[in-house]
Amino acid sequence: MTAVSRPRGLPAVRPGGWAVWLFVAFFLLNLAALILSVVVSSFGTKWFGGWLPEGFTGAWYSDAWAEFALGDVLAATLEITLIVVALSLLIGVPAGYALARRDFPGKRVVTVLLLLPVVLPPITYGIPLATVLYKVHLAGTMTGVVAANLVPALPFVVLVVTPFVEQIDANVESAARMCGARTRQVFARVLVPLLLPGILAAGILVLVRTVAMFELTFLVADADSQTLIVALYSAAFTPGIRAAQAIDAMAVVYMALSAVLLVIALMFVNPTQIVAQVREAPAE
């Protein structure tokens, strides 16, 4: 007997596969419901029962802006993140090039040490780091917040840039040197233009991580150097009477900022490039 063939384009789905898809759909539905509830609450006047508030208003955003000094908080957040991104790229790009091109004793140890701040929860090394910063009188200052955020940001840049460097043929550098270019010229005029997608990806991803970094910033920041995420947690959990709608409006501002940064980051980088690199086999 001839077996009945399945039409092309209709792959078989096992019962376990349907269960996984249902679980993912249920998770996404709950996540969307949580986000939507915060957005609706930020525009609601009163919401003590029912599916929707009794009325809608946009006044909570202006109240949150004035009560929580969101202008100063956003300015501090922007200043801290831009400084962290600039320093991370300035140091991390040459370090990523050296890690990709040079073989030296202890290279694997260095790679593991670079991975630790990225994979470990920030609170595990945040408390000892904050203790050191308090001892050297950097905690509670903008410099201390930048230094704390550089600890995970700098290794992250190195790990992101390294695969991009490895994808560039070393013969390009050799050809530039044969034409009389010095090391600085090779790096500035040849490698940096080729590495521009990786540099942009690393910078934007560090920007997203720094905006979302709560633990390290919370441990070392004061009222003048706190970022938006720290101000949001402070508004939600510190003692005092505050309108829940104003806190929700502040949360919506943070979600919108993070979503915009994440979308921009995904425009420049494929997430799989961060964890793996597919090398083409050399032509025989």
Side-chain angles (χ1 to χ4, degrees):
M1 296 178 63
T2 303
V4 179
S5 60
R6 180 179 297 273
R8 293 183 179 181
L10 296 176
V13 180
R14 298 180 179 180
W18 284 111
V20 172
W21 282 111
L22 288 175
F23 176 78
V24 171
F26 179 75
F27 172 78
L28 294 177
L29 181 62
N30 280 273
L31 181 62
L34 288 174
I35 296 175
L36 186 61
S37 65
V38 175
V39 174
V40 173
S41 177
S42 67
F43 289 98
T45 54
K46 296 180 181 180
W47 196 3
F48 297 107
W51 289 96
L52 293 173
E54 297 179 7
F56 294 93
T57 179
W60 296 115
Y61 285 87
S62 59
D63 293 345
W65 188 275
E67 181 179 358
F68 303 121
L70 287 185
D72 296 335
V73 171
L74 289 174
T77 302
L78 182 62
E79 183 178 356
I80 291 171
T81 51
L82 290 181
I83 294 175
V84 170
V85 169
L87 292 177
S88 299
L89 294 178
L90 186 64
I91 303 172
V93 173
Y97 171 80
L99 192 65
R101 287 285 191 259
R102 300 290 184 264
D103 290 326
F104 52 88
K107 182 177 180 179
R108 293 186 177 181
V109 177
V110 172
T111 304
V112 172
L113 292 177
L114 290 173
L115 280 171
L116 289 179
V118 178
V119 300
L120 289 178
I123 197 65
T124 58
Y125 57 87
I127 295 177
L129 177 62
T131 303
V132 173
L133 292 176
Y134 273 102
K135 287 185 177 181
V136 297
H137 306 289
L138 286 178
T141 64
M142 192 77 70
T143 304
V145 176
V146 171
N149 282 275
L150 276 175
V151 173
L154 182 57
F156 187 77
V157 170
V158 175
L159 295 174
V160 172
V161 171
T162 300
F164 285 92
V165 176
E166 292 177 347
Q167 293 174 3
I168 300 175
D169 193 348
N171 293 327
V172 176
E173 303 173 45
S174 301
R177 289 190 174 92
M178 289 180 62
C179 294
R182 298 180 180 180
T183 302
R184 182 178 300 178
Q185 293 174 326
V186 171
F187 193 82
R189 297 187 179 183
V190 177
L191 291 177
V192 170
L194 294 175
L195 289 174
L196 191 58
I199 294 174
L200 290 175
I204 296 173
L205 289 174
V206 168
L207 183 66
V208 174
R209 288 173 59 89
T210 305
V211 171
M213 181 60 68
F214 168 73
E215 296 91 340
L216 299 181
T217 306
F218 174 77
L219 291 173
V220 298
D222 63 356
D224 296 327
S225 59
Q226 63 180 353
T227 57
L228 182 58
I229 183 65
V230 177
L232 176 59
Y233 272 80
S234 299
F237 297 108
T238 52
I241 300 175
R242 301 175 182 86
Q245 294 90 334
I247 298 176
D248 291 336
M250 191 176 180
V252 171
V253 173
Y254 170 73
M255 287 190 296
L257 177 63
S258 301
V260 169
L261 294 176
L262 183 59
V263 170
I264 295 174
L266 292 177
M267 292 172 60
F268 291 96
V269 64
N270 184 353
T272 58
Q273 291 178 328
I274 302 174
V275 296
Q277 175 189 8
V278 179
R279 294 189 178 183
E280 295 181 357
E284 297 181 357

